[in-house]
Amino acid sequence: KLSIDLRFGTISIRTLVRFARKEHSIGSKKWLSELIWRDFYQTILDYFPHVTSESFKPEFEKIKWEGEERHFELWVEGMTGYPIVDAAMRCLKKTGWMHNRLRMVVASFLTKDLLIDWRKGENWFARNLLDFDLAANNGGWQWAASTGCDAQPYFRIFNPILQSKRFDPEGEFIKSEIPKLGGLSKKNIHWPIDAKQIELNKANCILGKDYPFPIVDHSIQRDIAIKMYKKVRIT
């Protein structure tokens, strides 16, 4: 969470780089690379200021984002039916902060599952992140939406359920933000609709009331997104 200190200048980037270079571990090298990404995005913003309103890669300006406004609102409120996405969005609204891995997950979900323009998500983050940095926020969103200079290939789309199982295997983060799912097993907390009714009853959780059903099918939306990106790349 040093990103907030970096944002407001209460700690120097040079101080952090010197600290990282004193260590000789995989973790310190990874952390240093993240600090470098920060400077990289600032350089992109300096040399290519059009990224504040347009895609770095001009061909992606032709995308017709077909997502629904109500889906955007459900994403904002953490009510999509995908626990890791919803927990992350609720955490942002409550604390003004979100882990970097979660930022990638929710950004991918908004753009490639809900088919909503990355600029809407970028703007929501700008309004709610305590560590908001224009260059980093824009760079991160364009990376996730596959429209940036260094972007994730458009055909590589995060599966939010697999991301949840990998990075929150015990469901601890989900439980902290969505207490209604706290009684589910670590197997089903990532995807509650797979839970048998007896488990839901024991957890005192009614799907559709205490927690929403998924608003989209990831596998279907993934295929739609890939076709959407392919279309603009070949026209």
Side-chain angles (χ1 to χ4, degrees):
K1 297 183 180 179
L2 287 171
S3 54
I4 298 173
D5 292 282
L6 282 170
R7 165 66 179 83
F8 290 99
T10 53
I11 194 168
S12 164
I13 184 72
R14 292 177 175 84
T15 298
L16 299 183
V17 169
R18 283 196 293 267
F19 180 81
R21 294 182 68 179
K22 285 181 181 178
E23 304 295 321
H24 299 283
S25 66
I26 295 175
S28 64
K29 290 179 180 179
K30 176 62 178 175
W31 190 45
L32 180 59
S33 75
E34 294 299 325
L35 296 175
I36 293 170
W37 273 115
R38 178 179 177 273
D39 276 12
F40 172 75
Y41 284 138
Q42 290 178 348
T43 303
I44 293 298
L45 179 61
D46 183 31
Y47 281 83
F48 304 96
H50 72 278
V51 298
T52 58
S53 58
E54 302 171 13
S55 301
F56 179 89
K57 296 178 180 177
E59 65 266 30
F60 289 121
E61 279 300 292
K62 295 181 288 185
I63 290 179
K64 289 183 172 59
W65 301 96
E66 299 178 355
E68 302 177 25
E69 180 62 26
R70 70 181 185 91
H71 282 173
F72 176 73
E73 293 170 359
L74 291 171
W75 176 82
V76 163
E77 295 299 325
M79 294 290 287
T80 68
Y82 285 77
I84 195 66
V85 173
D86 294 339
M89 295 305 295
R90 295 182 190 194
C91 178
L92 172 62
K93 198 169 185 179
K94 181 174 68 177
T95 69
W97 190 82
M98 188 188 294
H99 189 281
N100 187 55
R101 170 59 55 172
L102 294 173
R103 298 185 198 203
M104 292 189 285
V105 171
V106 302
S108 177
F109 187 81
L110 183 73
T111 56
K112 296 176 179 177
D113 282 72
L114 301 185
L115 310 178
I116 291 172
D117 195 326
W118 58 269
R119 281 161 283 227
K120 287 180 69 71
E122 179 196 28
N123 182 61
W124 182 254
F125 271 28
R127 291 167 56 191
N128 288 273
L129 284 172
L130 292 176
D131 65 3
F132 169 68
D133 174 275
L134 175 58
N137 191 49
N138 179 271
W141 272 95
Q142 294 227 38
W143 181 90
S146 300
T147 61
C149 58
D150 62 311
Q152 173 93 322
Y154 70 88
F155 50 83
R156 291 188 61 190
I157 298 176
F158 281 15
N159 182 318
I161 304 167
L162 296 182
Q163 289 285 310
S164 182
K165 290 178 178 179
R166 180 179 178 186
F167 292 101
D168 187 28
E170 302 296 321
E172 294 177 2
F173 175 70
I174 292 173
K175 292 176 184 178
S176 70
E177 300 299 329
I178 313 176
K180 281 291 185 178
L181 298 181
L184 296 181
S185 67
K186 65 179 183 181
K187 174 185 176 182
N188 291 322
I189 194 169
H190 307 285
W191 195 231
I193 64 171
D194 278 351
K196 293 182 179 180
Q197 190 59 50
I198 189 171
E199 181 180 351
L200 291 168
N201 291 342
K202 187 176 179 180
N204 194 28
C205 179
I206 302 174
L207 294 183
K209 178 183 177 183
D210 297 319
Y211 186 70
F213 289 106
I215 59 175
V216 293
D217 183 313
H218 171 72
S219 60
I220 293 174
Q221 296 303 104
R222 180 183 183 279
D223 290 342
I224 294 174
I226 290 175
K227 290 177 182 176
M228 178 181 76
Y229 279 91
K230 276 185 178 179
K231 185 176 181 180
V232 299
R233 286 182 61 84
I234 62 177
T235 56

